[in-house]
Amino acid sequence: MQSAEKQPVADIALSERVTLPAEALARTKALDRFRLGDAVFRHLTRAAALGVLLLLSGVIVSLIDGSIPAFRAFGLGFLTSERWNPVTEIFGALPAIYGTIVTSIIAMVIAVPVGLMIAFFLTELCPQWARRPIGIAVELLAGIPSIIYGIWGLFMFAPFLQRTLQPFLIDTFGDMPVLGVLFAGPPYGIGILTSGLVLAIMVLPFVTSISRDVFEAVPGVLKEAAYGVGCTRWEVVRFVVLPYARVGVIGGIMLSLGRALGETMAVTFVIGNAHRISASILAPGTTISASIANEFTEAVGDLYTSSLIALGLILFVITFIVLAIARYMLMRIERRIG
Amino acid sequence: MPDKTVTARYAARRGKDIAATALALAATAFGLGWLVLILGALLWEGFGGLSVAVFTQMTPPPGSSGGLLNPIFGSLVLTIIAVLIGTPIGIFAGTYMAEYGRYDRLSSVVRFINDILLSAPSIVVGLFIYEIMVAPMGHFSGWAGGVALAVLVIPVVVRTTEDMLTLVPNALREAATSIGLPRSLSITRICYRAARAGMVTGVLLAVARISGETAPLLFTSLNNQFWSTDLNQPVSSLPVVIFQFALSPYKDWQSLAWTGALIITLTVLALSITARALVPSAKQT
């Protein structure tokens, strides 16, 4: 019955000449095959798209599932407790959360102004021929795997800081009343400050390339008008480009912040893995991702493992919020550009 | 004298401009300086260790010489698994978003989620795979490592596939439909072909991204001191070996870690430069 229903399709195509029923049937069959293939392909691609959603929900569900024992044992106190003792099986996330946030703040404080200035250079000052090579060099910096930053940070950067920057900071600020607390203690080389600096180098290319892209999206007419009334290049960037690109720049900063918060290997090498909160940024500390990377395979006991997974869940929630805000802002500027 | 204040203000504005220009130059030199420093350190420390033995011998016990054959092999196998699993899913999902559901709700939700997956912390992916594969199976395995990397491949491929298919002019699709080609064939035979260079770029970028990934492998494929081709066993991989060797107190291990780091970096740079070289041709189509 089905083929009789579809007969007219074949008939229209063949109406000008007489055909054997066998040929008409073959055509119908071919059409059926196409129709089936079409439906299969369409559903396949749809399933893959749904799979991406499933992936994210899978991540969330498995993390929640894995962290239930930890939250059952410690309740919400897990988030505010400073103790992390694998021997007595008492765990608290606060030092790791603190380290994650402080290293990211240090990274952003350095990377954002520098990145914006590089973007200013690339869009307004740089001669045309040098733009592409410098842009590519910045993006290559972004492509270097984080473990390379880690090994470099451990063997080159940390000893360098231990000899130069850290003694300088201690000598300069160590005796001051308020700032002194921040720079107390011996220069270990590794620690919160070093991690923050390595992170800064890592996220610098992200800040730069996104800022450059949004700067370039500013309509030329606006800039020309500003130049026309006699603005200097800096004034054009400061009073025309930056305000226009504000949403995109903030989106880019949030995106880079998301990277910095979740970065694992570069930090694990140089943070020192100490579960405590020190006022001094020269002291060793830990971050969420560094704790997981250092301790997960050695974790014995369900509660220890579960506590580390709970740390992962916290990290995921924090980065998810930051990244969602970033994407929302970047989407807004994309829509405005059209 | 009004004339004087105008001149003074003008001088101040010029001064600011010059200061900003100098700062921008300094910032650029600062940014690029790191690239030079890091690559320089890698070449300095890693190049001396490069030898035939690195590619032909197994990882040594502390205190003796050896190579990186098993981690290099392991990394290759894990990358191949990840690409084989991740690429089809990524391409299909990207196809749905660009071809079938370009303006529907599902696509915009998937786009948003995919962008978040793109920059989600990779260590969380490791935890996820540990929960769904390693814990139920009861042991670390090469398969788990490959799947963990596949999870990182998918968002990159989805993104580039969608972007590249969106660039394919509609006239091509209309022409395909007008000669009676079914939708699926017009996508696979016409649009894929037009967007091929860009889609290959996406896969290359994904490989570049995962070839240095360490965090998701730490507790999925773990590490293996010995030669192993059994994917149900822990598999050695370059990044994890670098991590282990660099943090060890042994000099031989540390220098092997540097050599491994150099190999990874050169691979990643070669991949991203190739990918970039492909992109202009993708834009022409």
Side-chain angles (χ1 to χ4, degrees):
Chain A
M1 275 321 270
Q2 226 184 14
S3 63
E5 222 176 87
K6 283 162 192 165
Q7 203 74 15
V9 182
D11 278 347
I12 291 164
L14 303 169
S15 57
E16 288 301 311
R17 60 195 181 96
V18 184
T19 47
L20 298 169
E23 192 186 336
L25 202 65
R27 279 175 176 262
T28 326
K29 270 189 184 155
L31 277 178
D32 271 353
R33 244 195 343 263
F34 278 161
R35 216 168 262 142
L36 184 71
D38 246 15
V40 168
F41 190 71
R42 189 193 159 91
H43 283 106
L44 209 62
T45 59
R46 201 180 146 84
L50 287 169
V52 174
L53 294 186
L54 210 66
L55 208 59
L56 188 84
S57 16
V59 171
I60 298 172
V61 169
S62 74
L63 287 180
I64 291 178
D65 180 57
S67 55
I68 284 175
F71 280 113
R72 193 169 283 158
F74 306 114
L76 282 180
F78 183 71
L79 296 174
T80 53
S81 163
E82 209 184 306
R83 295 177 62 190
W84 184 272
N85 192 334
V87 182
T88 55
E89 296 221 305
I90 292 177
F91 301 103
L94 198 60
I97 298 175
Y98 170 83
T100 305
I101 292 173
V102 172
T103 50
S104 299
I105 289 175
I106 296 175
M108 298 319 285
V109 164
I110 295 165
V112 168
V114 175
L116 287 176
M117 285 315 265
I118 300 180
F120 166 42
F121 174 80
L122 282 174
T123 52
E124 297 298 321
L125 305 173
C126 184
Q128 202 67 43
W129 57 266
R131 278 184 196 186
R132 206 172 137 76
I134 295 180
I136 288 178
V138 169
E139 276 155 34
L140 288 185
L141 199 58
I144 295 178
S146 62
I147 188 161
I148 308 297
Y149 288 93
I151 186 171
W152 174 80
L154 178 67
F155 288 116
M156 302 278 166
F157 197 48
F160 171 76
L161 290 177
Q162 191 174 20
R163 282 195 312 271
T164 56
L165 182 69
Q166 294 188 346
F168 169 76
L169 288 174
I170 294 170
D171 291 345
T172 321
F173 301 108
D175 298 327
M176 287 189 188
V178 183
L179 275 175
V181 185
L182 273 179
F183 302 105
Y188 288 104
I190 54 173
I192 299 266
L193 177 68
T194 310
S195 308
L197 294 177
V198 172
L199 276 182
I201 300 169
M202 269 205 73
V203 295
L204 181 61
F206 298 119
V207 181
T208 306
S209 69
I210 298 174
S211 313
R212 183 198 55 191
D213 291 349
V214 266
F215 279 13
E216 270 173 358
V218 175
V221 193
L222 281 184
K223 289 196 278 187
E224 283 157 19
Y227 281 124
V229 296
C231 286
T232 61
R233 281 193 284 218
W234 170 243
E235 285 164 348
V236 170
V237 169
R238 174 68 190 76
F239 300 110
V240 178
V241 174
L242 258 186
Y244 188 90
R246 194 182 54 226
V247 182
V249 168
I250 296 174
I253 291 173
M254 300 291 273
L255 200 64
S256 316
L257 178 62
R259 296 259 177 168
L261 289 168
E263 179 43 47
T264 310
M265 295 325 289
V267 174
T268 307
F269 275 94
V270 291
I271 188 101
N273 202 37
H275 280 274
R276 58 166 185 265
I277 299 178
S278 318
S280 168
I281 58 170
L282 300 181
T286 193
T287 67
I288 293 178
S289 48
S291 305
I292 302 173
N294 268 320
E295 298 172 35
F296 197 81
T297 39
E298 279 136 40
V300 274
D302 289 342
L303 198 55
Y304 196 176
T305 312
S306 171
S307 299
L308 287 169
I309 296 178
L311 278 183
L313 177 66
I314 297 169
L315 175 67
F316 190 70
V317 170
I318 298 175
T319 48
F320 187 93
I321 295 169
V322 169
L323 291 173
I325 297 173
R327 288 301 172 188
Y328 175 70
M329 291 185 133
L330 288 173
M331 251 153 75
R332 260 178 60 188
I333 195 152
E334 258 165 41
R335 214 170 286 154
R336 193 162 66 187
I337 296 160
Chain B
M1 292 280 280
D3 201 25
K4 211 172 185 177
T5 55
V6 169
T7 326
R9 193 184 291 168
Y10 181 65
R13 285 177 51 207
R14 280 210 37 181
K16 257 189 199 168
D17 186 53
I18 291 168
T21 308
L23 271 178
L25 275 169
T28 311
F30 177 81
L32 294 180
W34 296 117
L35 186 66
V36 175
L37 274 179
I38 291 171
L39 289 182
L42 273 176
L43 285 172
W44 181 258
E45 294 281 337
F47 200 72
L50 270 187
S51 65
V52 183
V54 169
F55 300 96
T56 53
Q57 289 179 19
M58 305 294 149
T59 44
S64 56
S65 66
L68 295 166
L69 177 61
N70 46 338
I72 291 175
F73 174 79
S75 276
L76 279 177
V77 172
L78 292 181
T79 306
I80 290 171
I81 297 176
V83 169
L84 287 183
I85 298 174
T87 310
I89 299 178
I91 286 186
F92 281 143
T95 306
Y96 179 81
M97 287 152 72
E99 297 288 337
Y100 289 112
R102 196 178 284 189
Y103 303 105
D104 73 8
R105 212 179 161 73
L106 174 65
S107 292
S108 53
V109 173
V110 173
R111 197 170 297 133
F112 188 73
I113 294 301
N114 188 65
D115 279 350
I116 285 180
L117 280 176
L118 203 58
S119 12
S122 56
I123 192 150
V124 169
V125 172
L127 287 178
F128 167 56
I129 299 298
Y130 177 86
E131 281 281 294
I132 64 161
M133 284 184 78
V134 179
M137 284 159 72
H139 55 84
F140 300 101
S141 71
W143 289 115
V147 173
L149 292 182
V151 173
L152 297 171
V153 167
I154 292 171
V156 182
V157 177
V158 170
R159 184 67 193 264
T160 44
T161 305
E162 194 206 350
D163 285 354
M164 289 303 147
L165 285 177
T166 314
L167 287 180
V168 173
N170 262 335
L172 280 181
R173 293 190 187 92
E174 286 156 10
T177 308
S178 75
I179 58 166
L181 223 53
R183 192 81 181 269
S184 56
L185 286 186
S186 90
I187 293 170
T188 49
R189 298 279 167 81
I190 310 288
C191 296
Y192 279 179
R193 224 168 262 195
R196 188 164 50 197
M199 288 161 69
V200 172
T201 302
V203 177
L204 285 180
L205 288 178
V207 173
R209 160 130 199 241
I210 60 169
S211 52
E213 275 295 350
T214 322
L217 296 178
L218 285 175
F219 25 85
T220 50
S221 66
L222 202 68
N223 196 356
N224 197 333
Q225 282 285 63
F226 306 103
W227 177 260
S228 164
T229 51
D230 183 359
L231 286 172
N232 280 315
Q233 293 297 314
V235 169
S236 178
S237 61
L238 263 181
V240 177
V241 166
I242 295 174
F243 180 53
Q244 189 197 349
F245 280 18
L247 287 174
S248 77
Y250 313 110
K251 271 270 164 277
D252 317 323
W253 276 18
Q254 290 179 1
S255 75
L256 267 181
W258 275 109
T259 308
L262 179 66
I263 296 175
I264 288 190
T265 310
L266 292 182
T267 315
V268 170
L269 290 185
L271 282 167
S272 23
I273 289 171
T274 318
R276 235 164 277 280
L278 277 171
V279 168
S281 64
K283 272 180 185 158
Q284 279 163 18
T285 52

